[in-house]
Each structure stands twice: as structure tokens, then as C-alpha cells.
Amino acid sequence: MTSSSVASPVAGRPWRKRPFIVNARLRWSLYLGSLLYLVLAISSVSVNWSRVWEGLDRGWRFVEGFLVPDFASRWGDIVIGMQESLTMTLTSTVVGILISVPIGIGAARNIAPAPVYAVCRSIIALSRSFQEIIVAILFVAMFGFGPLAGFLTLSFATIGFLSKLLAEDIEDIDEAQAEAVRATGGGWWQIVNYAIQPQVMPRLIGLSLYRLDINFRESAVIGIVGAGGIGATLNTAIDRYEYDTAGAILIIIILIVMVSEYSSGYVRKWVQ
Amino acid sequence: MPISKSETGVPVWQHRTSKANLILWVGWLALVALFVFCWQVMTQDTIWYFVYDAPRQAADITSRMFPPKWGYISELWWPLWDTLNIATLGTLLAIILSVPVAFLAARNTTPSTRFVRPVALFVIVSSRSINALIWGLLLVAVIGPGVFAGIIAIALRSIGFISKLLYEAIEEIDTTQVEAINATGASGLQTLDYGIVPQILPAFAGITVFRWDINIRESTVLGLVGAGGIGLKLQASINVLAWGQVTTIFLVILGTVLVSEWVSAKVRHSLI
Amino acid sequence: MLRVENLRKRYRTGDEALKNVSFSVPAGEVVGLIGPSGAGKSTLIRCINRLVEPTDGNVFLNDLNVTRLGRNDLKQARRRIGMIFQEYALVERLSVMENVLSGRLGYVSFWQSFTRRFPQADIDKAFALLDRVGLTDHADKRADALSGGQRQRVGIARALEQDPELLLVDEPTASLDPKTSRQIMRLICEICAERNLPAIINIHDVVLAQSFVDRIIGLRAGEVVFDGAPDALTEDVLSRIYGEEDWAVLRRQHDSDESDDAADPKKPVEERLVELV
């Protein structure tokens, strides 16, 4: 029962899968270019293999430290570090949200006047263009060592993150709802309160929780440059080759991130 | 119910019931109290003299930062090339490692939900909770400073990110398409190739390009912990308080980040 | 020739989807499988190629007992059974040609299929089939760029590319408008006649089934309650299959289908998908 009945009018016609980039010359030059880059890049990485080989032993000790962590011997330092990290996470997120909301509204093209829009957008661009760690370096230089510099860094970073996403959300709202409020004779504040706030609120809460998460993770990093928090403790532990203490700190960080991720997922579901 | 009857029998409408109102107020109060408490704890060791002095410090640093020392830029090309390589090679390494992790973590492709999946999820969480800088700190201690440590740090950090987004994409695939391929008598690998891969390929490409963009940002500061790239120059300049050089480095980083963001947006746009 | 003997399926939830189903289909006969939703039509079809594992009973394809096969032999057996799906189940991001050629996956090595280097005979057959279903010009388009009717034609071509000895068809018209539904049904029945191919078509539209198939099996709550010629399908029998009330509703729906030509609720979604591309 094979294809005798489906006598082929097109026998021998070849078929090949059409390549993703149809232009053959472009395709091959892309392949070649990538290959060339890879060769150049890999050859420019100088690896000191004997150093790496020596390091494997230390790497193994770190894995051991991670599996058998030592919470006890530096417990005091860990507590202080965690305390600084957690407090600066919370305060910076709260302050960051408070500042982000007006800036986010100002950066939404559909409701903000042009000059306000330009100012708010440049604030966002400024805050987003640098890594937290670089901002932390500057703040430490200005405000001295300690968690206050960390708090300022994280607040500053939160503004860029939240305002941008909030502004995008506001720009994406259902215009009809704003129109309806406008049609009732509502003023600008009323439009924001009745038409926009209900639409973006769940997302804003979700994003704030997400940012809380990020701020905690970042608080573990900026300590490296002196901005307080668990990062400083971790840095010291690694400098002293106390891998079991470092392992303990990392485990605590992972646990807190897991808990906060799990609970923020729960809250987000509940809000929506 | 926000609508109730008043004593005279007239329906009264309130935005919230009195109980909901109470909960809301208590909630806000608790948040404020928590904030104040955290603030107190955080600033207990702050030396306020430095804080009051901050504006003067800021003015001082700013005056030293400008004008940028443009001549220094000639020393930055090589570190910049290293930075690019750290990000790109790190991303490639992460791709190779995270594809299997993602398939092991996705509920519909994992060989065992009880044993393999939790392990894969733990790998993802650990990798995601720990910032590239911390990975860098560890790796520099273990295998010595340099570009190689940076590549590994970026890869370790990216595994969690790529695997997480990828396994979510795998879990969302249309199973009937897979079933249809299965019904033709295809083998397991063929089903993967024809039924699953085409469905996740766009998501996969988008995720990796997105991560590459983030990795460019992160690799610019990895040098602060000794893991190669332009951050090494930043560290060196800060150590000798050469603020003019610091500004130049900031501008180069800013340019790089903008270019990589543009490239990543272009590529992602063309893939969809 | 297909023979199903005492087939049972009990799901892990305890639902008994099939209770002792037996029938046989000789070569060239097209059987319409009707019954209310939840009667086990879909399960029955999937038990035949074991996309769903039957709990008990036997399925013979010619003389091969499909239910007793190990993994590898099952793959061999599946190559001989073509399946056409509700909602087409094409791999949407692959081209039409790749979808049709995926019918040969059981015959080629992984490496051949991975590099898309199929034997010329398979490619010839694929082109011939695309010609037969009227889609030659669309070979290199992506499957999600086609309309619903065209996609189902690709689905048919994919099944026939397997050179099947049996065709399993699951609700082929469920997402199509009435006119396209008739075209698809006609195409399937014509092809079965051309190739002397037995087929089981699981279909919810009784009138459509009656006008095309050779024989009808009515399933209710996992049991065969009717097996005979389409003409023997009286009001009485239909009430027995569907239950008194449901049948009345179904008939009314069908009448309105005919009149306004677009009663399928899924159609707008599908149209939107087509517009998106």
C-alpha cells in the first residue's frame, strides 16, 4: 500500500533545511568571525596551570568547608554582618520605593509633562548606568565606612530599578480606563488614583518584593568595598583562608534568599 | 462587605470595612516601627561627623574627578578586551553547563522528580544566590587572580540564571507537539530534537543574550577582587586616589555597558 | 487490519475510561468513533499506539500484538501507525517540510534526522504528499504561518509519510470551521480509499461522521453501545449513546452550525493566531 497511487510528479527534487541566515556569504563570514574571535579570546587568556593545580587542593578545602560549615568560631562577626545586611536591606528598600514611586510616575510618557519626563528619565539612567559596587565605592569615599554607605548605595540602585519598571508599567496600562475616569471629569491626581494605581499596584508590590530580594543579595557584595554588611565578614573569612566560616556564611545567604524567594512568590500570588 | 446599613436603615458605603481598615493601619504601623528599629540598629555605629562632612568630601572628590585623565584611556584597551572575554567566554561556559541542568530540573524532562530534580534546583539556587563578585573572591583565593578566575566566576553565577529561565521554558512547552513526534516512532533523542528543541530555542537564545549583557556589566567590576578585566585598573586607580583616571574608567565602562545593551536588544529583537 | 480485544483502561485516579472494548477494522474501512466527551474515545485511540498504556486487553495490528511490545519494538510498531491530532499538533516552529519529514523519524538514524539529511526517497514522498494535499508551495514556510485547514493537511501528510498500515485520527475537525471540516474529512476518506488503509476517526460531529465514514462505533462511558452502518444510526440509537437530553442539544447545535457557518468557539483564537504571523 505504498505510494504507487501517489505517483510523484517531482521525483528527485532535493530538499535541504533552509538555513537561519539565508545569505550564504553573510552566514559563512559570521561563522568565521565567531571562530576567529574564539581563537583570539581563548589564546589571550593566560592560565597559570600550576597555580590552578595547587589551587585545586584549596578548592577542595572550600568544598569541605561548605559541606561541614563552621558557624561557631566567628559567630559574633556573622551576627553583626547579618544584622547590618538585613537592616540596610529593609531600610534601603523602603526609602527606595518611596522615592521611586514619584519618579516612576514622572517617567511615564503617557501621564507626565515633557520636562518632568526628561528629568525623571535622566535620574533613572544615572542610577542604572553603574553597578552597585561602583556606587558603593563612591559613597564609602564620601560617607566613610559602614552600613550607612551601603544603605545609600542600595537606595540609589533601587530607584533606578523600580522607577524604570514602574514607568514602563504605567505606559502599558489600559488607556480606556484612564479615559473613562477623565470622562467623568476627574483631575490628574484622580486619574492616577482611580485609573492607574489599581492597574499597576499588584505589579509594584511584586517588584518591590523582588527588589528586597536583590538588595539582600547585593548587601552581601558591597561589604567587599567597605560598605558594611555580611560581605565584609565574608571577605575577611576568605582572606584568612577560613573556608569553613565562609561556607557557613554562604549557606546562610542561600537559605535567606531561598526563604525570601519562596515567601515573595507566595505574597505575589496572594496580591494578584 | 463594604456596604452596610446605618441605624436609620440607609445603606452606607465605605471603601473598606472597619476590620480591613484596622488591619491595614496596624500593618502600616508595624512597617514604620520596623523601619525605625532597623534604622536605629544600622546607624548605631555610624560616625556622624563623617556624614556631616560628606558634602565637602563629595565636592572634593568631584573636583578631583574632573577633568577626566583622557591619556589614561590608552592603557584601558587591553583590560577592556579581557573584560569582553570574561563575559563572553563565561557565558559560553555557562551555556554548556546549564543546558543539562535545565533539562534535569524541568518537571517534564527530568529523569527523577524525587532525586535528580531537587539536586538540580539546589544547584540553581546556590548559583543564583551568590553574586559574581563573591564567586570571584572565592576563585581568586582558590586558583589565583586573573582572567581565568573571572571566566569561571561569571560562568558559575550564570548557570543558575540561564538554567532557571530555561527550565521554566521547558515546562511550558506544548506537550501535544511532543506527543505527535513520539507517535511517529521517533527515539528519545529525536523527540528532543524535533519536539522540544524547536519550542524552546527562541527563549533559549533570548535568555543567553540577555545574560551576556548582564555579564558584561558584572565583568567590568570583577577586577575589584582581582579577577581580571578593567576592574583591576579601577582598583589600582582608587588605591592611589587617582580620581581623574577613575573618571576615565567610569566613562569607558559606561560606554561598554551601553553598547552591550544595544547589541543585546538588537539581537533579541531579531530573534523574536 | 486492526483487532482490539477486551481492552481496558483504568487511570491511576480510579476512573475507568475503557471497559472491555472489542472490535476489528478490516483494511480500507474508515470507522467513525462517536460518543459524548469523557466516553473514552481519546483514550481508546491512544491505547492503540500506546501513547496511553492500556491496563488490560490486546491490540493486534495485522498479526502483531502491540500491547506486548517492549520499548524498541513499540517504536517499530508506532512507525506503522499514523496519527492525526486535534489542534494539528504540528511542531510550530519547524517548517512544513520538516514536519512532514518527521514522519520518517522512526526510519532514519538520529544523525540523519539531526542534520536534516533525509534519504531522497523520503523527500520525494514528502513532496508527493504535499502535492496531494495541495501545499507544495508552502514547503519551506513555518508551520505556524499556515491557516487551520492547511495545518491539518500538513498533519495528514506527516501521518502518511510514515507509510502507515493504520490511521488513528483524533478529532480532526475540532478546531476548524464547517466548510474546512468537510474538506478535511473528504481528504482523509479519499486517501484511505486510495491506499486501502484502515482508519479510526474519533469525531464529535455525528452528522459529519455519518456523511463520510463506512461504519460507526458508538462509545458510552467506556463501552461500545453501537457498532454498525451509518444508516443504522437512528434517533433512538443516538439517544442511547449521548443520553436523551444531550443528544437534543447536540442536534440543535449542529443545525445552527450549518446556518451561521462559524459556531466553533475555538475558531476566533485560531484566526488570531494566523493574524499574528
Side-chain angles (χ1 to χ4, degrees):
Chain A
M1 55 188 78
T2 42
S3 44
S4 59
S5 55
V6 195
S8 166
V10 279
R13 182 173 162 190
W15 175 85
R16 298 286 299 125
K17 183 182 170 62
R18 187 185 284 191
F20 181 64
I21 300 160
V22 183
N23 183 336
R25 192 175 293 173
L26 182 66
R27 186 168 73 244
W28 282 105
S29 49
L30 271 179
Y31 288 161
L32 264 176
S34 324
L35 193 71
L36 192 69
Y37 167 76
L38 270 183
V39 170
L40 281 178
I42 292 175
S43 62
S44 80
V45 176
S46 53
V47 184
N48 183 347
W49 289 110
S50 64
R51 176 72 179 73
V52 172
W53 183 247
E54 277 170 42
L56 286 182
D57 179 43
R58 243 169 302 168
W60 179 243
R61 274 208 291 128
F62 171 70
V63 173
E64 279 177 342
F66 193 79
L67 294 174
V68 191
D70 173 14
F71 292 91
S73 47
R74 299 273 169 201
W75 183 243
D77 294 341
I78 295 177
V79 167
I80 292 175
M82 283 315 292
Q83 186 182 310
E84 286 182 355
S85 263
L86 288 173
T87 51
M88 79 167 113
T89 302
L90 186 105
T91 47
S92 64
T93 310
V94 170
V95 170
I97 294 169
L98 291 180
I99 302 175
S100 308
V101 169
I103 294 182
I105 293 173
R109 195 176 303 139
N110 51 348
I111 54 169
V116 177
Y117 172 79
V119 171
C120 291
R121 280 284 166 176
S122 28
I123 296 175
I124 291 176
L126 184 71
S127 154
R128 280 174 53 81
S129 40
F130 286 107
Q131 293 263 308
E132 281 87 343
I133 195 99
I134 293 180
V135 180
I137 291 173
L138 291 176
F139 277 130
V140 168
M142 291 174 196
F143 290 83
F145 292 96
L148 189 73
F151 156 78
L152 291 169
T153 306
L154 295 180
S155 307
F156 183 73
T158 305
I159 294 170
F161 176 88
L162 268 185
S163 312
K164 174 156 187 281
L165 294 174
L166 180 62
E168 278 167 9
D169 267 4
I170 295 177
E171 285 171 358
D172 284 344
I173 59 157
D174 177 9
E175 275 297 329
Q177 297 183 30
E179 195 111 88
V181 176
R182 202 173 292 131
T184 65
W188 188 85
W189 287 107
Q190 285 163 326
I191 292 174
V192 169
N193 185 215
Y194 274 78
I196 292 170
Q197 191 195 335
Q199 290 193 57
V200 298
M201 207 56 188
R203 267 274 288 176
L204 180 63
I205 293 173
L207 288 173
S208 305
L209 288 170
Y210 182 40
R211 187 65 215 187
L212 191 71
D213 221 52
I214 299 178
N215 278 349
F216 175 73
R217 285 180 226 194
E218 290 296 332
S219 79
V221 176
I222 53 181
I224 296 174
V225 295
I230 190 76
T233 322
L234 185 63
N235 200 1
T236 319
I238 293 175
D239 278 350
R240 290 181 184 150
Y241 297 104
E242 292 173 349
Y243 291 135
D244 38 6
T245 304
I249 296 172
L250 290 179
I251 286 174
I252 294 176
I253 294 177
I254 293 173
L255 281 180
I256 291 184
V257 169
M258 271 170 81
V259 167
S260 91
E261 229 173 51
Y262 182 78
S263 50
S264 74
Y266 187 77
V267 172
R268 252 175 283 175
K269 236 177 257 164
W270 178 70
V271 166
Q272 268 144 22
Chain B
M1 290 290 116
I3 297 174
S4 55
K5 289 264 166 97
S6 76
E7 282 150 33
T8 51
V10 182
V12 176
W13 179 84
Q14 289 167 301
H15 186 37
R16 294 188 179 85
T17 58
S18 36
K19 194 176 158 208
N21 248 329
L22 189 72
I23 293 174
L24 200 69
W25 280 111
V26 170
W28 280 112
L29 200 69
L31 188 63
V32 171
L34 187 65
F35 176 81
V36 173
F37 171 74
C38 284
W39 180 264
Q40 298 282 356
V41 172
M42 184 181 78
T43 54
Q44 61 191 357
D45 293 327
T46 304
I47 301 163
W48 291 101
Y49 171 74
F50 285 142
V51 178
Y52 300 133
D53 194 38
R56 213 180 51 76
Q57 285 290 338
D60 184 44
I61 291 173
T62 316
S63 72
R64 287 160 191 259
M65 284 179 84
F66 292 95
K69 194 177 165 197
W70 292 116
Y72 188 60
I73 214 165
S74 59
E75 283 184 48
L76 295 179
W77 298 126
W78 191 253
L80 195 62
W81 164 252
D82 279 346
T83 301
L84 182 72
N85 291 341
I86 292 173
T88 312
L89 298 180
T91 313
L92 286 178
L93 189 59
I95 291 172
I96 295 168
L97 295 172
S98 47
V99 168
V101 175
F103 276 98
L104 294 180
R107 218 173 256 122
N108 46 353
T109 52
T110 184
S112 144
T113 25
R114 199 162 307 157
F115 301 108
V116 181
R117 186 162 189 267
V119 174
L121 288 182
F122 181 73
V123 169
I124 292 175
V125 166
S126 320
S127 153
R128 271 161 45 78
S129 320
I130 300 172
N131 193 290
L133 272 166
I134 297 181
W135 282 120
L137 203 62
L138 273 173
L139 285 161
V140 167
V142 169
I143 58 172
V147 173
F148 188 58
I151 293 172
I152 308 283
I154 287 289
L156 287 177
R157 171 68 183 85
S158 307
I159 289 173
F161 182 92
I162 298 177
S163 307
K164 177 163 196 280
L165 293 177
L166 189 60
Y167 96 72
E168 284 169 356
I170 297 173
E171 286 185 349
E172 280 168 17
I173 58 170
D174 177 6
T175 48
T176 58
Q177 297 181 28
V178 182
E179 195 181 36
I181 296 296
N182 235 330
T184 65
S187 69
L189 275 177
Q190 286 173 329
T191 310
L192 188 74
D193 181 21
Y194 278 73
I196 299 177
V197 170
Q199 293 193 59
I200 58 170
L201 207 55
F204 175 69
I207 295 163
T208 51
V209 175
F210 186 41
R211 186 64 220 184
W212 174 78
D213 177 21
I214 300 174
N215 283 346
I216 290 271
R217 279 165 184 269
E218 299 208 327
S219 59
T220 56
V221 292
L222 273 177
L224 291 173
V225 295
I230 200 168
L232 285 174
K233 291 285 176 187
L234 181 62
Q235 179 78 314
S237 302
I238 290 173
N239 279 346
V240 297
L241 299 177
W243 290 102
Q245 295 180 14
V246 172
T247 318
T248 314
I249 294 170
F250 279 179
L251 291 174
V252 170
I253 290 180
L254 190 64
T256 315
V257 167
L258 288 179
V259 169
S260 79
E261 206 166 82
W262 180 80
V263 170
S264 131
K266 273 273 165 214
V267 172
R268 265 182 293 158
H269 202 77
S270 72
L271 285 174
I272 295 169
Chain C
M1 159 98 183
L2 169 78
R3 202 164 81 245
V4 175
E5 280 176 358
N6 308 325
L7 201 63
R8 289 172 199 277
K9 172 67 190 173
R10 183 194 286 276
Y11 281 108
R12 229 178 289 169
T13 52
D15 298 329
E16 208 164 15
L18 295 176
K19 304 168 193 162
N20 209 10
V21 172
S22 302
F23 61 88
S24 65
V25 184
E29 188 174 74
V30 177
V31 176
L33 193 60
I34 64 170
S37 46
K41 291 177 297 188
S42 195
T43 306
L44 175 53
I45 275 203
R46 283 172 165 73
C47 278
I48 292 173
N49 65 355
R50 284 173 60 194
L51 285 177
V52 170
E53 252 348 292
T55 317
D56 198 15
N58 294 309
V59 173
F60 291 95
L61 178 63
N62 296 331
D63 282 317
L64 179 72
N65 189 341
V66 179
T67 39
R68 295 281 171 270
L69 298 176
R71 264 177 72 107
N72 278 323
D73 293 332
L74 175 62
K75 264 176 222 156
Q76 305 273 320
R78 277 182 181 165
R79 305 193 308 199
R80 295 160 57 189
I81 306 174
M83 187 157 179
I84 297 169
F85 292 79
Q86 184 178 359
E87 314 264 350
Y88 336 120
L90 300 181
V91 182
E92 302 199 343
R93 298 191 62 95
L94 292 183
S95 69
V96 167
M97 194 63 179
E98 280 168 290
N99 268 294
V100 176
L101 284 172
S102 68
R104 298 306 290 180
L105 287 178
Y107 294 89
V108 300
S109 71
F110 172 72
W111 185 246
Q112 276 175 308
S113 63
F114 181 73
T115 53
R116 283 11 179 208
R117 288 181 191 276
F118 286 84
Q120 186 59 41
D122 293 352
I123 293 170
D124 286 345
K125 184 160 25 197
F127 272 121
L129 282 166
L130 282 177
D131 192 50
R132 175 67 183 83
V133 299
L135 290 174
T136 313
D137 299 337
H138 299 278
D140 272 331
K141 275 192 189 159
R142 237 167 62 177
D144 55 5
L146 304 183
S147 74
Q150 288 172 327
R151 286 191 219 192
Q152 196 54 291
R153 285 163 198 273
V154 178
I156 294 170
R158 172 173 66 188
L160 294 176
E161 177 77 10
Q162 288 174 240
D163 273 334
E165 291 160 43
L166 168 70
L167 212 51
L168 301 175
V169 191
D170 188 16
E171 299 282 7
T173 61
S175 357
L176 302 173
D177 64 75
K179 189 169 160 232
T180 319
S181 296
R182 301 185 83 78
Q183 288 171 349
I184 292 291
M185 280 301 283
R186 187 170 297 122
L187 183 65
I188 293 173
C189 294
E190 278 174 13
I191 286 175
C192 287
E194 282 166 19
R195 304 181 158 219
N196 199 25
L197 191 62
I200 301 180
I201 305 182
N202 179 345
I203 187 164
H204 71 292
D205 186 330
V206 176
V207 180
L208 194 62
Q210 271 178 310
S211 46
F212 286 100
V213 302
D214 307 320
R215 170 179 159 202
I216 287 198
I217 292 180
L219 211 57
R220 175 170 193 170
E223 282 175 303
V224 176
V225 291
F226 173 82
D227 188 347
D231 304 333
L233 209 55
T234 57
E235 292 286 307
D236 217 31
V237 176
L238 285 165
S239 313
R240 202 165 76 227
I241 299 173
Y242 284 94
E244 198 77 53
E245 242 171 89
D246 289 349
W247 167 239
V249 173
L250 225 90
R251 191 177 40 189
R252 223 174 305 127
Q253 267 175 0
H254 191 270
D255 290 345
S256 63
D257 260 18
E258 295 291 275
S259 54
D260 65 21
D261 229 35
D264 196 309
K266 276 176 187 140
K267 200 191 159 212
V269 178
E270 180 213 315
E271 274 175 351
R272 238 181 299 143
L273 282 176
V274 174
E275 275 163 26
L276 272 176
V277 175

